[in-house]
Amino acid sequence: LYGYFLDETLEHGERVGLALLNAAKNIEIRFSEKLLPETSFETKYGTSFYTPSEGLRFDLDNIEKLAEEFPEHKETLKEYIEKIKIFRSKSQRLNCELTDALDRSGAEWGGGWGGHSNPDYGRIVNFGTEYIRSVIAENRVKYPDEDWFYRSCSYTLDAIDIIGERYREEALEKAEKCENADDKAFLIRVAKAFESVPKKPAYDFTSAMCSFMLIFALDGSDSPGRFDQYMYPAYTKTENKAEVTDLLDRLWEYFHSHRSWNLCISGSDENWKDESNELTYEILAMVRKKGYNTPNLTCRVHKNTPEKLWNAIAETLAIGTGLPALYNDDVVCTAIEKIGITPED
């Protein structure tokens, strides 16, 4: 709330960036049961919440309760409430107009929000926020009229870096109090990872998992996307593959408890070269081991899918969860290219 209403003359996007930056300093830092980062952009009193798929939301009921609980801030909070009501009325009018249009067209939307999101996790995992800052710096010179947008991106990166540093501190604190030797060692590994990520590229699978989970949880634990592709560079840097299996086990428990959505494996590149790798098979093995129907596992197949992968797919389907769902690149990619999307994309 404070960050968003700090300067009302700013563009909405920049105000959202400031809201996230303010929230990063105050949101609860916590670990899942399996000791993976699971913090979301939800404020302590539930007054506001943010994910890329849903945007910034304010809960008027909780803000009103907060005003009663903290009378010293009552007048300021009342001002916020009146401003939010204006936003809400505009949003409701827009939703009504959209609903009318959809009714007339015969179209139907099954969700109550903007839809699932699939951010570019690989950019954070394999390049880090410092790299993204260099991209921002280049574009600020090219597009000076859009500087408000680049400022908002910079505030968001500041927020991510702050959360990473807070996780490092929290992991060390938890490790100091931890009596279980294995958990203690894992937390120390996590703390070491957060000395580097999310600012710098991941250097092994633990640091890649920390970087991924930081963004994934902030995004509402929605869709991991092409996990075997963007996590593979870190996989190749990890000598002890038992570490990978342990982290995937922890992650699948997290996916299951949070009903995470779609994770995609394999696929083809623009020259129909198969993109499956060792991590693809590790994921299929984990799905067989767990027997969960979450997350939705999809596998992209095509004319050059190797027999080894077909066999692993068959073994996984045979356990009865209906996973992985198979999507045919030969049909889907060709159809998408016909509407102008390049083969590289």
Side-chain angles (χ1 to χ4, degrees), residues 219-343:
D219 183 42
S221 305
D222 195 353
S223 291
R226 300 189 73 194
F227 189 84
D228 65 341
Q229 302 301 305
Y230 60 77
M231 292 291 277
Y232 187 63
Y235 178 91
T236 63
K237 296 172 187 172
T238 307
E239 292 183 13
N240 181 8
K241 292 304 188 274
E243 177 185 322
V244 174
T245 304
D246 172 63
L247 285 160
L248 289 177
D249 190 289
R250 294 171 187 268
L251 181 61
W252 249 253
E253 291 298 329
Y254 181 90
F255 284 155
H256 187 60
S257 64
H258 287 72
R259 186 52 184 100
S260 298
W261 208 243
N262 190 70
L263 186 148
C264 180
I265 56 173
S266 193
S268 59
D269 69 8
E270 63 272 22
N271 298 309
W272 297 104
K273 180 183 175 184
D274 181 65
E275 293 192 305
S276 57
N277 54 49
E278 294 97 324
L279 186 54
T280 310
Y281 293 93
E282 290 256 17
I283 290 168
L284 286 167
M286 188 56 61
V287 171
R288 291 195 295 274
K289 174 187 173 183
K290 293 296 183 182
Y292 297 151
N293 60 2
T294 54
N296 295 339
L297 183 70
T298 57
C299 182
R300 288 173 49 187
V301 295
H302 51 93
K303 56 192 171 189
N304 292 321
T305 295
E307 185 176 358
K308 179 184 176 184
L309 184 56
W310 279 118
N311 289 334
I313 290 167
E315 288 174 21
T316 310
L317 281 166
I319 70 170
T321 60
L323 301 176
L326 303 181
Y327 285 78
N328 187 344
D329 275 7
D330 297 47
V331 175
V332 177
C333 293
T334 303
I336 291 172
E337 286 168 26
K338 283 181 179 178
I339 61 170
I341 305 300
T342 65

Side-chain angles (χ1 to χ4, degrees), residues 87-105 107 112:
F87 292 155
R88 178 168 288 189
S89 64
K90 285 181 180 177
S91 173
Q92 285 172 341
R93 285 200 301 275
L94 178 61
N95 285 338
C96 287
E97 289 167 9
L98 289 172
T99 303
D100 289 343
L102 287 170
D103 286 343
R104 288 193 299 275
S105 70

Side-chain angles (χ1 to χ4, degrees), residues 71-204:
E72 67 272 27
H73 299 297
K74 191 168 186 175
E75 291 308 310
T76 302
L77 288 167
K78 273 187 173 180
E79 287 179 25
Y80 292 165
I81 289 167
E82 292 307 311
K83 290 167 183 174
I84 292 165
K85 280 180 179 176
I86 296 169
F87 292 155
R88 178 168 288 189
S89 64
K90 285 181 180 177
S91 173
Q92 285 172 341
R93 285 200 301 275
L94 178 61
N95 285 338
C96 287
E97 289 167 9
L98 289 172
T99 303
D100 289 343
L102 287 170
D103 286 343
R104 288 193 299 275
S105 70
E108 190 172 307
W109 171 245
W113 80 113
H116 295 290
S117 63
N118 180 18
D120 187 356
Y121 296 111
R123 183 172 281 202
I124 288 284
V125 171
N126 297 311
F127 295 95
T129 59
E130 288 182 355
Y131 166 78
I132 300 173
R133 288 181 195 282
S134 70
V135 174
I136 288 171
E138 289 176 15
N139 281 280
R140 288 180 101 155
V141 175
K142 290 181 187 176
Y143 309 106
D145 291 342
E146 305 296 328
D147 202 56
W148 66 269
F149 170 73
Y150 296 111
R151 285 196 300 272
S152 70
C153 291
S154 297
Y155 296 142
T156 305
L157 291 175
D158 289 344
I160 291 167
D161 288 345
I162 287 168
I163 293 169
E165 175 58 26
R166 290 184 63 197
Y167 264 119
R168 186 191 68 80
E169 295 169 358
E170 181 68 13
L172 286 173
E173 191 175 319
K174 282 181 75 70
E176 192 175 325
K177 298 174 184 176
C178 189
E179 296 180 1
N180 181 292
D182 291 339
D183 288 349
K184 188 183 189 77
F186 182 75
L187 285 164
I188 290 171
R189 239 169 64 213
V190 167
K192 182 179 182 300
F194 276 118
E195 288 177 7
S196 180
V197 299
K199 290 182 180 179
K200 298 183 183 298
Y203 55 82
D204 66 1

